[in-house]
Amino acid sequence: MRFSTKATAAAAALTAALSLTALGSAASAATPAAKSAPVTCTAATTKVTVQEVDRPINHLLLKAKNTGTKTCYAYGAPFLRFDEAQAATPWLDASMPQAVVTLKPGQTAYAAIGTSSPEGTNGSQAHKLEVHFSNSAMNGSVGNPADAKLPQAGVYVDSSAFVTYWQTSASDALMW
């Protein structure tokens, strides 16, 4: 009888040890998934470029390519600062997509920049563009800005300038 009590105690200890090992394995298995959870796109994990386009006139195409190892979310629209502007270029609210743009490594998000219009005032030639990525609340930026290279001659920007929300294709961005 005493032997079975020791055997029962040993079996219980072994079951407990196996349970802890199994829990540890489950936790280890969950860790890689947690590490691969999407992050917010930033200048550190993307390559930002600006491209001149023929149509629509007075537009540029902004591209942000995910160069990181994790999927990232391009929230809202980029905050743009031309030269030493005091305020960010306004977002074009009508361009808001139905969902946050999600970029797997190697994928690109697009935003159109309207630089000027006949209704615009106080224009000047801009030679520098800082691109700040939006936080998830879309009320501020995250990380350091990316410097996007503008054409050597610069770009004429006036008070009518705008930027679209991030889009999944260049054609969606340039429809605005």
Side-chain angles (χ1 to χ4, degrees):
M1 189 102 188
R2 200 166 193 206
F3 177 76
S4 64
T5 304
K6 285 184 182 180
T8 303
L14 180 59
T15 302
L18 289 174
S19 295
L20 288 175
T21 302
L23 286 174
S25 297
S28 296
T31 303
K35 287 183 182 177
S36 65
V39 297
T40 300
C41 295
T42 66
T45 60
T46 61
K47 179 180 180 181
V48 176
T49 57
V50 174
Q51 176 184 337
E52 292 182 273
V53 295
D54 293 330
R55 295 195 193 287
I57 61 170
N58 303 329
H59 276 65
L60 298 170
L61 181 63
L62 181 65
K63 301 177 185 180
K65 182 177 182 178
N66 182 353
T67 57
T69 58
K70 296 180 181 182
T71 297
C72 72
Y73 294 132
Y75 291 106
F79 292 103
L80 303 181
R81 181 179 183 204
F82 284 97
D83 288 339
E84 302 302 319
Q86 295 296 311
T89 303
W91 294 1
L92 184 63
D93 289 336
S95 69
M96 182 186 290
Q98 291 183 349
V100 173
V101 174
T102 303
L103 301 178
K104 293 181 181 176
Q107 290 184 321
T108 302
Y110 304 87
I113 304 169
T115 58
S116 61
S117 75
E119 293 82 26
T121 59
N122 301 322
S124 64
Q125 203 72 5
H127 296 279
K128 181 180 171 187
L129 176 62
E130 285 183 353
V131 178
H132 299 257
F133 286 86
S134 177
N135 61 23
S136 62
M138 297 188 301
N139 61 3
S141 62
V142 294
N144 292 322
D147 290 322
K149 187 175 181 179
L150 292 174
Q152 187 172 356
V155 174
Y156 183 78
V157 179
D158 67 21
S159 64
S160 67
F162 66 86
V163 62
T164 66
Y165 280 70
W166 289 115
Q167 307 292 327
T168 56
S169 72
S171 60
D172 286 348
L174 291 172
M175 70 184 286
W176 305 99

